[in-house]
């Protein structure tokens, strides 16, 4: 079970902003803010290890109560950027400056299977494989309405259930003002924010044997949308939230993660590193004249015979040579094998041995473990009806 320390008592908004500004000054974050402004970016990466060095209680409070501290930190960041570059701070909505949390998370670094009630409303880092990506859609943040009677503009702010700054307001545009005068929506003056939903699934090599991988829904907003695609391996940092439902009568709630930082891991597979002793043994075997027969016999040693089939599977495991020619042609180094034979001739046993040997392998059929085939497919969301891209077994197992 995950044991977490209780956060310290909450402090005022002004005190939170002063603490963040002191942290920026003392820990040398001003160069990072200047670089963010020069690149016209709107997300500052805050290392929680630096925050622990500055104030351990403040770091613990941020990890356990991000809904109280992140809005204050982002407001303080907006004030700092306004003092540094007022023209850049006025571009776009006032809440577009975000803070992404990075660093060491300890017990808050989990897989989708470990996301339990103890981590609700906390900052978590979830690792997994993206299996589904929705389309990027705009979400209204602020609307402006013109009243022909009073010749004045009316502004309305919008928040949904994922907002950290207050209660949900609903998405309906107002049609009348407080005096009953009709309003006309000025769509060109309204402000919107990009929003995307992705599904993060537990890595297959880390799922318990015999159990299906778990998944969690992640909401990405603003600059984080389109930062990933199905099949990518990720670390996503965000806030674990539970959303209420009007039709819910059982007391259970839908949970999701509100992402604030995405780190791609596709090029860094989580396989074990070789030790010096392993490298020494590998070199010894490579110098033997019977290296190929020896390694082939080691594939599924419980299966008698099938020498040629085992050699073919061994060569498939090792793979060919990937080539990129000067004219831009890409030649894959993957080796494919089609096994045909009578029933009870150990075809499945040989393939299971390969799956246990390879650092990343998924056993799948024509329909695939995720129900979309071997590559990818465009499916419809059951709740919203929107189209989304879903990865199949080949995409989830890439580059295994």
């Amino acid at each position: 079970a995950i044991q977490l320390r209780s956060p310290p008592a909450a402090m005022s908004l002004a005190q939170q902003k002063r603490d963040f500004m002191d942290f920026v000054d003392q820990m040398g974050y001003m160069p990072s803010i200047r670089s963010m402004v020069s690149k016209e970016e709107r997300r500052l990466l805050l290392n929680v290890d630096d925050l622990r060095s500055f104030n351990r209680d403040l770091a613990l409070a941020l990890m356990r109560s991000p809904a109280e501290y992140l809005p204050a930190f982002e407001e303080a960041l907006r004030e700092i950027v306004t003092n540094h570059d007022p023209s850049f701070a006025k571009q776009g909505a006032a809440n577009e400056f975000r803070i992404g949390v990075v660093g060491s998370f300890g017990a808050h670094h989990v897989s989708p299977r470990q996301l339990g009630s103890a981590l609700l409303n906390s900052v978590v880092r979830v690792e997994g494989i993206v299996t589904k990506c929705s389309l990027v859609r705009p979400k209204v943040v602020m609307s402006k309405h013109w009243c022909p009677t009073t010749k004045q503009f009316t502004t309305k702010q919008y928040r949904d259930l994922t907002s950290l700054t207050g209660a949900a307001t609903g998405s309906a545009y107002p049609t009348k003002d407080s005096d009953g005068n009709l309003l006309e929506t000025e769509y060109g003056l309204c402000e919107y924010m990009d929003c995307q939903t992705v599904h993060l699934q537990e890595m297959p090599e880390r799922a318990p044997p015999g159990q299906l991988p778990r998944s969690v829904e992640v909401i990405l907003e603003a600059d984080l949308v389109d930062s990933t695609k199905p099949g990518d391996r990720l670390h996503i940092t965000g806030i674990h939230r539970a959303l209420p439902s009007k039709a819910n009568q059982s007391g259970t709630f839908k949970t999701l993660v509100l992402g604030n930082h995405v780190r791609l891991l596709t090029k860094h597979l989580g396989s074990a590193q070789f030790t010096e002793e392993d490298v020494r043994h590998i070199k010894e075997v490579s110098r033997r004249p019977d290296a190929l027969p020896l390694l082939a016999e080691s594939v599924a040693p419980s299966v008698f015979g099938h020498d040629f089939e085992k050699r073919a599977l061994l060569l498939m495991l090792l793979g060919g040579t990937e080539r990129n020619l000067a004219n831009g042609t890409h030649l894959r180094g993957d080796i494919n094998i089609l096994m045909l034979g009578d029933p009870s001739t150990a075809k499945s046993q040989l393939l299971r041995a390969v799956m246990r040997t390879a650092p990343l392998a998924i056993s799948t059929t024509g329909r695939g473990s995720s129900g979309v085939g071997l590559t990818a497919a465009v499916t419809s969301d059951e709740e919203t009806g929107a189209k989304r891209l879903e990865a199949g077994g080949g995409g989830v197992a890439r580059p295994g």
Side-chain angles (χ1 to χ4, degrees):
I2 299 177
Q3 296 182 353
L4 303 171
R5 288 179 55 191
S6 299
M11 59 181 70
S12 65
L13 177 65
Q15 182 63 40
Q16 294 170 1
K17 293 167 64 173
R18 283 196 299 268
D19 286 347
F20 179 78
M21 292 182 177
D22 293 340
F23 165 76
V24 169
D25 291 336
Q26 297 183 23
M27 303 305 293
Y29 269 72
M30 280 307 300
S32 300
I33 295 178
R34 295 191 189 98
S35 175
M36 178 190 73
V37 174
S38 64
K39 297 177 183 177
E40 296 189 354
E41 297 176 350
R42 294 181 174 271
R43 188 174 298 270
L44 176 69
L45 297 184
L46 185 151
N47 195 318
V48 72
D49 297 330
D50 296 338
L51 192 59
R52 288 192 188 99
S53 302
F54 172 73
N55 187 330
R56 189 175 182 84
D57 289 338
L58 184 62
L60 179 61
L62 174 65
M63 295 294 291
R64 294 295 295 147
S65 304
E68 298 179 10
Y69 287 83
L70 266 184
F73 287 4
E74 291 173 351
E75 176 68 19
L77 175 62
R78 188 179 66 82
E79 294 180 6
I80 294 174
V81 174
T82 302
N83 295 331
H84 177 71
D85 190 345
S87 61
F88 177 71
K90 292 179 181 179
Q91 299 175 7
N95 61 347
E96 279 192 3
F97 290 102
R98 304 297 182 90
I99 290 180
V101 185
V102 298
S104 302
F105 286 78
H108 291 248
H109 188 159
V110 295
S111 68
R113 184 178 297 274
Q114 298 168 318
L115 280 176
S117 58
L119 292 174
L120 276 176
N121 301 317
S122 301
V123 176
V124 295
R125 170 181 283 175
V126 188
E127 61 178 20
I129 302 176
V130 177
T131 57
K132 303 175 186 177
C133 281
S134 71
L135 298 177
V136 178
R137 296 187 178 278
K139 181 169 67 174
V140 62
V141 176
M142 184 269 294
S143 64
K144 275 197 172 184
H145 310 272
W146 170 254
C147 180
T149 304
T150 61
K151 307 296 183 183
Q152 292 182 348
F153 281 104
T154 302
T155 302
K156 180 182 178 182
Q157 303 288 336
Y158 295 85
R159 295 183 298 272
D160 58 8
L161 293 174
T162 64
S163 175
L164 302 179
T165 57
T169 60
S171 58
Y173 282 180
T175 57
K176 295 182 180 180
D177 61 9
S178 58
D179 297 328
N181 300 316
L182 294 178
L183 296 176
E184 298 177 358
T185 303
E186 297 290 342
Y187 292 97
L189 300 178
C190 299
E191 294 184 356
Y192 301 88
M193 178 173 57
D194 291 333
C195 184
Q196 184 183 30
T197 301
V198 301
H199 285 254
L200 198 67
Q201 188 182 85
E202 188 177 14
M203 295 187 184
E205 67 271 17
R206 299 187 182 179
Q211 298 189 28
L212 292 176
R214 303 276 180 87
S215 62
V216 64
E217 184 176 327
V218 181
I219 294 181
L220 303 178
E221 295 179 341
D223 58 318
L224 295 182
V225 300
D226 273 345
S227 59
T228 180
K229 60 183 182 299
D232 285 344
R233 291 167 167 258
L234 302 176
H235 276 169
I236 290 185
T237 305
I239 303 174
H240 187 212
R241 293 285 297 270
L243 298 185
S245 175
K246 295 181 180 179
N248 184 13
Q249 303 293 333
S250 62
T252 58
F253 296 90
K254 173 185 176 181
T255 60
L256 46 77
V257 175
L258 308 178
N260 67 17
H261 180 253
V262 176
R263 179 190 171 200
L264 290 175
L265 296 178
T266 301
K267 298 180 181 178
H268 309 281
L269 273 181
S271 56
Q273 299 294 325
F274 291 120
T275 63
E276 294 183 1
E277 186 178 1
D278 293 334
V279 175
R280 188 174 69 252
H281 289 319
I282 291 173
K283 291 181 177 179
E284 290 177 359
V285 172
S286 67
R287 288 191 288 266
R288 295 181 54 165
D290 60 340
L292 181 58
L294 175 66
L295 293 176
E297 292 173 0
S298 302
V299 177
S302 60
V303 177
F304 178 77
H306 296 307
D307 297 331
F308 290 105
E309 289 81 357
K310 290 183 178 181
R311 290 193 182 195
L313 291 173
L314 175 64
L315 295 176
M316 180 189 69
L317 274 171
L318 299 178
T321 303
E322 184 178 1
R323 299 182 186 275
N324 293 304
L325 304 183
N327 60 1
T329 304
H330 174 70
L331 302 178
R332 292 181 297 173
D334 303 321
I335 297 176
N336 299 320
I337 288 182
L338 174 64
M339 296 183 65
L340 299 174
D342 294 328
S344 301
T345 52
K347 298 187 299 296
S348 299
Q349 293 300 323
L350 290 173
L351 294 179
R352 285 196 182 98
V354 170
M355 189 172 64
R356 289 193 297 267
T357 304
L360 174 57
I362 293 178
S363 176
T364 181
T365 61
R367 281 294 296 167
S369 56
S370 57
V372 295
L374 294 175
T375 54
V378 177
T379 59
S380 297
D381 194 323
E382 297 178 357
E383 296 180 359
T384 62
K387 300 295 183 183
R388 64 187 181 192
L389 186 63
E390 188 171 348
V396 174
R398 182 173 56 88

